[in-house]
Amino acid sequence: MPTLHERALGAYLGLAVGDALGATVEFMTAREIAIVHGVHREITGGGWLRLRPGQITDDTQMCLALGTAILAHSEWNLGAVADAFVEWMHGRPVDIGNTCRRGIRRYLRDGSLEAPPSDHEAGNGAAMRNLPVVIVNVADEPAMLARSLAQARITHHNAASDEATLTLARMTRTLLLGGSLADCSHLAEDLVARHPRFRFRPYPKRTSGFIVDTMQTVLDAFFHSDSFEDCLVLAVNRGGDADTIGALVGQLAGALHGVDAIPARWLARLDPAIHRAVREQTDALLRHGGQPC
């Protein structure tokens, strides 16, 4: 059975690998992917961003920025998180979502750490970057939930985004602590019971960056695969916002199966600097939260 460290590292590297794998087919349809790639299962770069093989996108970059801000302070510091997002944006990232950009620019203008409530800002950008909060607060669920919501609302203040971010946090924490697929299924069913728009059975076959579509695709792939590789391949070959879908399903599958389940050929293709940064940050976040690594 994987240790907490192996599960945390599996989740973080799984996120990065899923990001790199999915980015190649982002914004393609499932039919287009089948015509061009057959079954897309190798990290080859390219795609609309013309990435190098193993290069990651804003999903992993924003996670690393958030994790860096957490580690720079002994206590939770939301201002430092917002500053880290500013620094990331000013570094000319390869991609940045519109809601993230607007939220970061608002913070630069007025210093506010919470976006105004919006029925229209329901993208997946808050959920995709939250893993460092889960890892560092794995022993303290109330803190994890409060801080997940706080970092999310810097850019996304939307009920659907909030619910998805918190559900993914709960599921990931459950898996890091040795929970099962069945435990996660209960959490997903609770989300659907409270918010039926997230219903993913039968799978609605929508893969956009709208958080409901993203969650439905992630949950369906996660609960309908038996291995880390099968889970990611199933998810990203559905296309759409495939880098974020790949990142989030990689996070869950990595937390479930542990780092040793990630195919060695995928890890070998991942950008070496990112691979090293993820490993170092995972260890540091666990130590910061008082956990062995």
Side-chain angles (χ1 to χ4, degrees):
M1 185 174 185
T3 64
L4 170 61
H5 177 258
E6 290 166 342
R7 291 180 184 273
L9 191 55
Y12 215 150
L13 282 173
L15 181 145
V17 163
D19 183 6
L21 182 70
T24 302
V25 294
E26 186 181 14
F27 299 140
M28 297 175 71
T29 66
R31 178 176 171 78
E32 289 169 339
I33 294 169
I35 291 170
V36 174
H37 298 281
V39 177
H40 175 59
R41 60 188 321 124
E42 304 301 333
I43 294 178
T44 58
W48 77 278
L49 291 170
R50 300 181 181 178
L51 301 175
R52 301 182 306 276
Q55 188 177 359
I56 46 81
T57 74
D58 53 336
D59 302 77
T60 309
Q61 290 172 342
M62 291 199 82
C63 274
L64 289 169
L66 174 56
T68 298
I70 291 170
L71 293 169
H73 298 270
S74 59
E75 301 293 334
W76 174 251
N77 187 323
L78 189 59
V81 173
D83 288 340
F85 292 162
V86 170
E87 183 177 357
W88 166 74
M89 185 178 75
H90 285 169
R92 300 178 66 185
V94 66
D95 188 26
I96 178 171
N98 290 330
T99 304
C100 288
R101 182 187 288 107
R102 282 193 293 270
I104 296 168
R105 286 180 173 170
R106 185 210 70 255
Y107 168 71
L108 279 171
R109 285 194 311 271
D110 62 23
S112 60
L113 290 169
E114 184 173 290
S118 171
D119 292 334
H120 308 293
E121 305 287 5
N124 54 26
M128 76 183 189
R129 65 185 186 230
N130 193 51
L131 179 58
V133 175
V134 180
I135 294 174
V136 77
N137 295 291
V138 69
D140 188 344
E141 184 176 31
M144 179 197 72
L145 296 175
R147 293 165 184 175
S148 294
L149 204 58
Q151 75 79 18
R153 287 186 173 176
I154 293 174
T155 55
H156 295 63
H157 193 164
N158 174 276
S161 171
D162 290 350
E163 289 295 336
T165 300
L166 295 177
T167 296
L168 285 167
R170 289 187 178 101
M171 290 176 65
T172 304
R173 176 179 181 270
T174 295
L175 294 169
L176 293 181
L177 294 175
S180 67
L181 202 64
D183 296 325
C184 285
S185 182
H186 293 317
L187 292 170
E189 289 166 2
D190 177 66
L191 172 66
V192 172
R194 290 182 295 107
H195 302 278
R197 67 194 303 190
F198 284 100
R199 184 175 291 110
F200 60 96
R201 295 175 175 136
Y203 174 51
K205 299 182 180 180
R206 295 188 294 266
T207 58
S208 79
F210 174 43
I211 188 60
V212 173
D213 294 349
T214 295
M215 280 292 285
Q216 289 169 331
T217 303
V218 166
L219 294 175
D220 182 78
F222 181 59
F223 291 120
H224 286 90
S225 53
D226 297 323
S227 71
F228 180 92
E229 181 170 354
D230 288 348
C231 185
L232 260 69
V233 169
L234 173 60
V236 303
N237 277 273
R238 288 169 169 172
D241 199 8
D243 59 335
T244 300
I245 289 167
L248 288 173
V249 84
Q251 170 181 316
L252 292 175
L256 174 64
H257 298 290
V259 65
D260 289 344
I262 302 176
R265 71 182 194 282
W266 286 354
L267 291 174
R269 293 291 271 176
L270 190 62
D271 181 322
I274 296 300
H275 192 159
R276 181 170 57 252
V278 166
R279 285 185 174 272
E280 291 174 353
Q281 192 172 102
T282 301
D283 289 357
L285 287 167
L286 287 171
R287 288 194 298 268
H288 201 71
Q291 301 300 313
C293 63

